[in-house]
Amino acid sequence: MASRKESSSVSSTAMASTGGTLDSPVKQIQIEGLVVLKIIKHYQEEGQGSEVVQGVLLGLVVDDRLEITNCFPFPQHTEDDADFDEVQYQMEMMRSLRHVNIDHLHVGWYQSTYYGSFVSRALLDSQFSYQHAIEESVVLIYGFLLFFSHLFPILDPIKTAQGSLSLKAYRLTPKLMEICKEKDFTPEGLKKANIGFEHMFEEVPIVIKNSHLISVLMWELEDKSTVADKHELLNLSSSNHLEKSLQLLMDRVDDMSQDIVKYNTYSRNLSKQQQQKHQYLQRRQQENAQRQSRGEPPLPEEDITKMFKPPQPPPRMDTLLIAGQINNYCQNVKEFTSQNLGKLFMAEALQGHN
Amino acid sequence: MSAGELSSFSKMSVFGPVVKIHPVVLASICDSYERRNEGASRVIGTLLGTIDKHSIEVTNCFSVPHNESEDEVAVDMEFAKNMYELHKRVSPTEVIIGWYATGFDITEHSVLIHEYYSREASNPIHLTVDSALQSGKMNIRAYVSAQMGVPGKTVGVMFTPLSVKYVYYDTERIGVDLLQRTRVTPSRTKGLTSDLSQVAGSAARVQDMLTTVLAYIEDVLSGKVTADNSVGRFLMDLVNKVPTISAEDFENMLNSNINDLLMVTYLSNLTQAQIALNEKLVLL
């Protein structure tokens, strides 16, 4: 992601007047319909079944809104493509888009996810580098929830196939930004900042806006296109999706428990060591007292830190990420179950009438 | 081609491949029209997509800067080539299949531009999008060029129309539906809805459709409208699709499903409480 950082810093210095001097954080995101369609299309064509699909968001900041007016996709990472390609690709794209009067301000990036699993180290790093360079950038996550029929917006393609557009925008909280800046991931550091997994990302509300011309286009499309089967949302079969989500949740919880075990052993080691140090010091003092009473020179104080090397504190950032991810899964599962409960009750009412 | 022929286009039967357009392309075209340079009356660009035996599917497009005056037209082909290369890196299956222009008519300049594009693709298609709404609605048409005239003497090019269809992926359909809803609100904005309200919306839609069908049936029964057999067959299918299950079995199924969902909700709440506790303990 280092290449992205360079490119984003280049673009931010190129247009320093607009992006850098805003004090108020972005309160709302306004997306054009075109961007939504493009993101959907990009996932549909390139990302079927494979991992994440990514791209760059372009737009501008107006008052307290971040307007996203266009986007372009990033090519998939193939094995022998060097990082060099990314930067060049991005630069070329932006230059070309400038010729056709498309906003070329780099305001964020988007990513698709699989069943809502997007809280990862890589995401954190890239979002940090973006947000560091451009104050208002967000990540748009287009997550997936089902197969058949979420500043970074996360888009949920599976859930979208099921019938509802799932697009979420996130940015890192200022607290988290500070921590990432200092790269201090020890438990003490995190304790100082008082960060919990809930304070990692903040969600920014999204609003979709269309220009008048696009509205005309919509009327035209409605006229001409056939009524498709748009009622997969009412499908009652939920077990497949539920299983998948729960499986991912279980995996994460396993990771989490491993992490916790590590932390516990670390704190146990630490306290044991403290005890040992204490004992050693006491013995030393006793011996010195004895020697003094016998009139001999006291033993030199040895450097205890060299003798008892303190154990390495495990980095807590991963734990935080895992906790955040688990939280996300739980949220998704709960949303999903509430929807399904509604559907089931509806089905009961229908059947009751028969 | 007279204007009269063009207006009755939709009723003509056309031969040749069908052009399938994705809404993304049209939205892009409208957007680039809105962003055109001062003084430019229309915008042109390249269409990308895939060619099949019977149909041409247009899935992407990008606009190309060009200058047009009374006598001449200049298109930045370097730019077009560059953009195509960039796009190819993302989706290697897309090829240049033609070009688009906003505006109602086909001018002589179009012929020239079409020739440029013939060098890039074999038999390119030309798409016109009437974004200035000259005829009252946004007409979207596609053409293929054909040679005409007396061979050896004056040879000209004729643009023959093709039929245009809109295709969507399922997910695109949902996206388009969401965008459709924005045209209702006066400020043309719409927030993304929460889950339960979406279920409610879907149910409302089904209810509307049922009311329409019911109204039709009433009309037929009271003799106002003549019965149509094919519609009758569809209705028969509809009614037969409701499965007949005994009340007990249905109760059982329903209860077990509800129990599953409740259990999952409970477990996820439990997990959330657990990690929250863990946080607090660590931060002690």
Side-chain angles (χ1 to χ4, degrees):
Chain A
M1 297 292 151
S3 53
R4 285 226 185 107
K5 184 172 182 174
E6 286 162 31
S7 62
S8 60
S9 56
V10 165
S11 56
S12 67
T13 48
M15 352 183 195
S17 51
T18 30
T21 50
L22 271 147
D23 295 320
S24 62
V26 169
K27 298 220 177 52
Q28 204 189 48
I29 297 196
Q30 190 173 287
I31 307 189
E32 293 234 345
L34 174 67
V35 175
V36 173
L37 286 178
K38 268 191 162 182
I39 297 182
I40 295 179
K41 165 199 176 297
H42 183 213
Y43 173 77
Q44 199 70 27
E45 292 196 344
E46 307 306 324
Q48 289 289 5
S50 75
E51 333 116 17
V52 295
V53 133
Q54 291 176 340
V56 167
L57 298 172
L58 309 163
L60 56 144
V61 182
V62 171
D63 304 328
D64 63 347
R65 288 196 317 268
L66 177 65
E67 294 196 14
I68 302 183
T69 51
N70 215 324
C71 68
F72 62 84
F74 246 72
Q76 300 272 29
H77 262 303
T78 55
E79 306 80 37
D80 30 49
D81 269 357
D83 272 6
F84 162 76
D85 268 347
E86 270 193 31
V87 181
Q88 201 198 30
Y89 175 80
Q90 202 165 329
M91 286 284 106
E92 289 251 0
M93 260 314 218
M94 314 241 296
R95 215 178 305 140
S96 317
L97 291 176
R98 213 184 315 200
H99 280 179
V100 288
N101 295 340
I102 294 184
D103 294 326
H104 49 275
L105 264 179
H106 201 164
V107 292
W109 58 298
Y110 68 84
Q111 178 178 309
S112 74
T113 94
Y114 180 65
Y115 281 105
S117 55
F118 57 85
V119 182
S120 68
R121 193 52 185 274
L123 189 103
L124 194 70
D125 286 337
S126 18
Q127 177 58 10
F128 172 65
S129 59
Y130 265 70
Q131 211 161 316
H132 191 60
I134 306 172
E135 187 78 26
E136 302 77 28
S137 87
V138 286
V139 145
L140 210 64
I141 301 227
Y142 176 60
F144 274 129
L145 265 202
L146 238 222
F147 243 142
F148 113 164
S149 125
H150 300 119
L151 322 230
F152 45 115
I154 300 194
L155 206 58
D156 213 315
I158 301 187
K159 198 168 180 186
T160 307
Q162 203 197 1
S164 61
L165 186 65
S166 166
L167 191 64
K168 294 206 172 120
Y170 291 100
R171 32 193 334 259
L172 301 181
T173 51
K175 279 194 207 163
L176 197 61
M177 293 282 292
E178 295 247 342
I179 293 199
C180 285
K181 243 184 267 191
E182 296 160 25
K183 300 244 184 263
D184 178 20
F185 294 142
T186 60
E188 290 75 32
L190 286 181
K191 215 182 293 190
K192 248 190 294 172
N194 199 18
I195 252 202
F197 62 85
E198 287 155 3
H199 307 302
M200 283 207 301
F201 297 105
E202 53 184 13
E203 189 175 338
V204 190
I206 299 186
V207 155
I208 298 194
K209 175 179 182 308
N210 273 330
S211 65
H212 288 294
L213 200 56
I214 305 269
S215 304
V216 175
L217 180 68
M218 290 294 134
W219 282 107
E220 182 81 14
L221 283 180
E222 170 120 1
D223 254 354
K224 297 281 181 54
S225 52
T226 57
V227 173
D229 174 32
K230 19 182 179 172
H231 296 111
E232 289 157 11
L233 187 58
L234 293 177
N235 194 349
L236 281 180
S237 76
S238 56
S239 52
N240 193 18
H241 166 241
L242 215 51
E243 273 174 26
K244 267 257 133 75
S245 306
L246 282 180
Q247 200 155 2
L248 287 169
L249 186 60
M250 284 195 309
D251 288 338
R252 280 285 155 280
V253 171
D254 280 339
D255 285 342
M256 181 78 163
S257 62
Q258 277 180 355
D259 225 36
I260 292 180
V261 162
K262 255 192 277 176
Y263 184 69
N264 280 341
T265 43
Y266 158 71
S267 40
R268 225 176 298 139
N269 283 346
L270 194 65
S271 61
K272 233 191 292 178
Q273 213 188 45
Q274 296 281 51
Q275 261 190 340
Q276 284 176 335
K277 267 195 233 175
H278 196 65
Q279 278 178 349
Y280 177 75
L281 274 174
Q282 271 195 332
R283 257 186 285 132
R284 263 302 151 103
Q285 279 181 348
Q286 274 183 347
E287 269 203 41
N288 278 346
Q290 281 181 350
R291 281 183 179 223
Q292 268 188 344
S293 61
R294 275 185 278 163
E296 286 174 22
L299 286 171
E301 287 288 322
E302 284 176 16
D303 194 3
I304 29 176
T305 48
K306 262 194 253 160
M307 284 190 48
F308 295 97
K309 267 203 213 74
Q312 193 75 340
R316 299 297 292 162
M317 184 42 86
D318 285 334
T319 322
L320 214 56
L321 284 172
I322 295 179
Q325 182 63 67
I326 292 182
N327 193 31
N328 202 43
Y329 281 141
C330 291
Q331 282 297 110
N332 281 350
V333 165
K334 283 201 288 197
E335 271 177 23
F336 182 74
T337 51
S338 68
Q339 246 188 333
N340 268 38
L341 276 174
K343 285 191 236 170
L344 280 176
F345 280 121
M346 249 191 337
E348 179 181 19
L350 275 177
Q351 196 75 1
H353 282 169
N354 284 356
Chain B
M1 282 201 157
S2 63
E5 275 179 8
L6 285 175
S7 58
S8 62
F9 162 74
S10 49
K11 303 199 190 70
M12 286 197 298
S13 61
V14 287
F15 306 105
V18 177
V19 179
K20 299 193 191 148
I21 308 189
H22 281 260
V24 128
V25 173
L26 298 169
S28 281
I29 299 181
C30 291
D31 183 65
S32 46
Y33 177 73
E34 286 174 358
R35 291 170 185 280
R36 64 190 187 287
N37 285 316
E38 289 293 329
S41 58
R42 63 180 195 160
V43 192
I44 67 168
T46 315
L47 293 172
L48 303 171
T50 48
I51 301 190
D52 217 1
K53 246 192 317 179
H54 304 290
S55 63
I56 302 179
E57 196 160 335
V58 185
T59 49
N60 205 350
C61 69
F62 56 84
S63 71
V64 175
H66 84 297
N67 291 318
E68 205 169 301
S69 60
E70 276 304 314
D71 338 325
E72 60 171 15
V73 68
V75 176
D76 193 351
M77 288 312 282
E78 262 306 308
F79 179 92
K81 256 195 260 288
N82 259 343
M83 277 297 251
Y84 176 53
E85 287 301 310
L86 291 175
H87 273 133
K88 219 171 21 166
R89 287 220 219 128
V90 179
S91 31
T93 53
E94 289 182 347
V95 287
I96 298 185
I97 53 174
W99 63 293
Y100 69 83
T102 60
F104 190 56
D105 282 327
I106 305 187
T107 64
E108 308 97 29
H109 301 316
S110 309
V111 179
L112 287 173
I113 305 179
H114 201 79
E115 248 183 278
Y116 280 138
Y117 276 96
S118 321
R119 284 184 234 141
E120 301 286 329
S122 63
N123 206 14
I125 62 171
H126 172 45
L127 188 72
T128 56
V129 175
D130 183 13
S131 39
L133 308 173
Q134 275 172 318
S135 63
K137 0 189 276 165
M138 187 184 280
N139 273 309
I140 301 175
R141 303 213 188 100
Y143 305 93
V144 174
S145 75
Q147 297 279 339
M148 74 167 179
V150 182
K153 301 251 173 85
T154 41
V155 185
V157 163
M158 180 176 73
F159 282 98
T160 46
L162 302 170
S163 55
V164 168
K165 255 209 300 210
Y166 304 114
V167 286
Y168 311 81
Y169 299 124
D170 291 327
T171 42
E172 268 186 340
R173 177 93 225 171
I174 311 295
V176 169
D177 278 345
L178 188 64
L179 299 182
Q180 303 266 11
R181 275 178 254 157
T182 67
R183 54 174 198 212
V184 183
T185 62
S187 64
R188 295 158 298 145
T189 58
K190 184 80 170 68
L192 299 176
T193 51
S194 80
D195 291 307
L196 216 49
S197 55
Q198 277 162 344
V199 178
S202 259
R205 277 200 291 265
V206 174
Q207 199 174 14
D208 284 339
M209 292 206 269
L210 280 176
T211 2
T212 330
V213 173
L214 276 176
Y216 171 77
I217 296 179
E218 299 272 314
D219 283 340
V220 169
L221 281 179
S222 61
K224 270 191 254 173
V225 179
T226 50
D228 191 355
N229 278 339
S230 48
V231 174
R233 273 192 284 266
F234 278 129
L235 284 174
M236 181 96 151
D237 278 341
L238 189 70
V239 172
N240 283 340
K241 271 206 190 117
V242 177
T244 45
I245 317 176
S246 74
E248 287 174 15
D249 286 342
F250 187 73
E251 276 293 313
N252 284 340
M253 285 199 297
L254 196 71
N255 282 334
S256 60
N257 262 328
I258 293 185
N259 281 338
D260 284 340
L261 291 176
L262 286 176
M263 175 185 76
V264 169
T265 316
Y266 170 73
L267 282 176
S268 47
N269 276 332
L270 193 65
T271 322
Q272 274 182 315
Q274 175 73 38
I275 42 178
L277 264 177
N278 185 43
E279 276 308 313
K280 295 281 179 280
L281 285 176
V282 166
L283 289 178
L284 267 178

